[in-house]
Amino acid sequence: MDSLITAAARALAAGDPLGALKHVALRDDAPALALRGIAMAQLGELDRAKMLLKSAARAFGSREAVARARCVVAEAEIAPVSRELTWPTRALDTARATLEAHGDGLNAAHARNLELRRLLLIGRLDEAERILAGLAPIPLPPALAAARALAVAGIAIRRLRTRAARAALAEAGQAAIEAKIPALIAEVESASLVFSAPAARLVARGDERPLLLDEVESLLASGTLVVDACRNVVRDEKTIVPLATRPVLFALLRALAEAWPADVSRSTLLARAFRARHADESHRARLRVEMGRLRAELLTLADVRATKRGFALVPRHASEVVVLAPPVEEQHAAVLAFLADGESWSSSALAIALGLSPRTVQRALEQLAAAGKVQSYGRGPARRWMTPPVPDFPTTLLLPGPLPSG
């Protein structure tokens, strides 16, 4: 490797893409194309970066498998940044295996970090944790150590393990400082802000107040019966009953929990669950049926008892009942939670991350755009959606991934 290529590589490792380009900007050989591609990616010119990396991979001969694999890993690094969740992960797996087979452990570790980042982005926390558990504990340079610790912190945050998350972020911050890469330091600082922003609202006995992430974790471990309107589940310390696919039952349960220990009138329940302005006998009959179904779902957690004017929630073991609600209640809140990161997303990427159909996501984006909450640029497959971060808007609790089961 000649001196200019070596100097450019060192500049990139130090987070200095402009310095790297000074050495290789006018060269079109394969190593220079690869380094130029990485530099353009660091500068945010992602489309140009992908073109250069593809050209570099083609320019490397068939005998240069390691170099080609490194180009694939560099291209894979761009995919989550540009929210290209359909990027072929099999190519990254093949590249990582090639690097491991040829003894390039550091770039193979970088490929693993990218895999973890993608899994975290789409909420596949169990799979990400299995990968972490199977990794050999090898020394990593500061930049890779920071990225690995950020992945660990991201999983812990989504699991509501705040102590583990703080420890991982502290480790990431120290490694980022040692790496002397400003963008990496800023990423760690941005991730740490989750602890000082409201994560949810606590609604109990007619009052409400904001909760930080640490407080949410403490609440879920307290033995309180929690009706979680962020995840549409009801839970105590040991048991979780999901109701995300039963919106009518969850609406009834939330109304009962917000009024606890008082009861709720039948007319109020009909309005909350069925939007019925004028109740007739058919509405009341349906309410009785749905309350029977709710009793069956809550069998181990609570009872639903009829009162003279309506129904009341009676916990079986907990001494308190509360509702955990998002800080800001928005239609299509989960879509906004992803867009709140300030990155541009395609509707197909959002559909993958949310586990929804592309058409459902497209309708949500169109409604949000009509309300002035999101904006798009580009056309056809190149169309992207984004919004500036919404103050106090919940992100962690609305992103996919299960809460701890206690």
Side-chain angles (χ1 to χ4, degrees):
M1 186 179 293
D2 63 48
S3 59
L4 290 178
I5 293 295
T6 301
R10 288 176 177 170
L12 287 176
D16 180 16
L18 293 177
L21 287 173
K22 289 179 181 179
H23 298 295
V24 295
L26 300 179
R27 293 177 54 167
D28 289 321
D29 54 291
L33 286 172
L35 293 171
R36 285 168 58 194
I38 297 170
M40 297 306 289
Q42 290 187 7
L43 291 170
E45 297 290 337
L46 303 183
D47 291 337
R48 179 62 177 158
K50 287 186 288 186
M51 292 176 58
L52 286 166
L53 289 168
K54 288 181 183 296
S55 297
R58 289 193 296 267
F60 283 115
S62 58
R63 296 181 180 179
E64 298 175 284
V66 172
R68 292 168 65 92
R70 289 172 180 169
C71 289
V72 172
V73 172
E75 188 180 352
E77 187 172 8
I78 297 171
V81 176
S82 58
R83 300 301 188 256
E84 291 186 23
L85 302 186
T86 56
W87 193 85
T89 56
R90 186 174 298 178
L92 180 61
D93 291 338
T94 301
R96 176 181 50 76
T98 298
L99 294 168
E100 289 174 343
H102 288 80
D104 189 351
L106 293 182
N107 278 302
H110 182 41
R112 278 298 192 193
N113 285 349
L114 296 176
E115 186 178 4
L116 289 169
R117 183 173 182 178
R118 182 182 183 276
L119 291 172
L120 181 60
L121 193 60
I122 61 178
R124 291 164 62 175
L125 306 187
D126 292 340
E127 190 172 344
E129 286 180 323
R130 284 195 297 271
I131 290 174
L132 278 171
L135 294 179
I138 62 172
L140 296 174
L144 289 183
R148 180 70 53 83
L150 277 170
V152 172
I155 293 171
I157 288 170
R158 299 273 278 278
R159 295 288 198 192
L160 290 182
R161 300 170 184 160
T162 56
R163 181 177 298 180
R166 289 181 186 276
L169 284 173
E171 181 182 344
Q174 183 59 41
I177 291 172
E178 292 176 11
K180 299 179 181 179
I181 300 177
L184 191 55
I185 295 172
E187 185 176 357
V188 176
E189 291 175 348
S190 177
S192 300
L193 294 177
V194 70
F195 295 109
S196 58
R201 283 180 297 126
L202 179 70
V203 183
R205 297 178 181 266
D207 295 323
E208 63 177 66
R209 64 181 178 88
L211 293 182
L212 299 178
L213 205 62
D214 304 75
E215 295 174 305
V216 174
E217 181 184 23
S218 297
L219 173 66
L220 297 182
S222 68
T224 299
L225 184 63
V226 179
V227 176
D228 184 349
C230 299
R231 302 277 182 165
N232 284 9
V233 303
V234 56
R235 59 174 295 154
D236 62 11
E237 187 178 2
K238 298 180 179 179
T239 305
I240 297 177
V241 176
L243 293 173
T245 60
R246 309 292 294 273
V248 171
L249 296 189
F250 189 81
L252 292 170
L253 176 60
R254 180 171 178 176
L256 293 171
E258 288 176 351
W260 186 88
D263 62 355
V264 183
S265 68
R266 288 172 175 80
S267 60
T268 299
L269 291 169
L270 288 168
R272 289 283 295 268
F274 310 132
R275 296 187 177 90
R277 296 183 179 179
H278 306 288
D280 56 26
E281 187 56 38
S282 65
H283 287 108
R284 287 188 285 271
R286 184 182 176 192
L287 180 61
R288 289 193 295 271
V289 170
E290 297 297 346
M291 282 301 181
R293 291 171 176 165
L294 183 58
R295 284 191 193 95
E297 292 287 345
L298 301 180
L299 188 60
T300 60
L301 294 177
D303 188 19
V304 179
R305 295 181 183 171
T307 66
K308 186 174 181 180
R309 77 184 193 113
F311 293 88
L313 188 65
V314 182
R316 297 192 184 280
H317 310 292
S319 59
E320 282 289 320
V321 177
V322 302
V323 173
L324 188 69
V328 180
E329 302 242 29
E330 289 271 4
Q331 188 181 21
H332 309 307
V335 176
L336 283 173
F338 276 99
L339 295 178
D341 67 0
E343 300 291 346
S344 59
W345 288 73
S346 67
S347 59
S348 59
L350 284 169
I352 292 172
L354 289 163
L356 300 174
S357 72
R359 184 56 194 145
T360 297
V361 172
Q362 189 62 46
R363 282 197 299 267
L365 290 169
E366 289 168 357
Q367 292 174 18
L368 290 169
K373 296 176 181 178
V374 302
Q375 57 187 7
S376 66
Y377 64 90
R379 294 178 179 274
R383 193 177 192 186
R384 294 292 184 271
W385 298 84
M386 65 183 302
T387 182
V390 182
D392 294 336
F393 192 85
T395 54
T396 302
L397 296 186
L398 286 177
L399 298 181
L403 291 176
S405 58

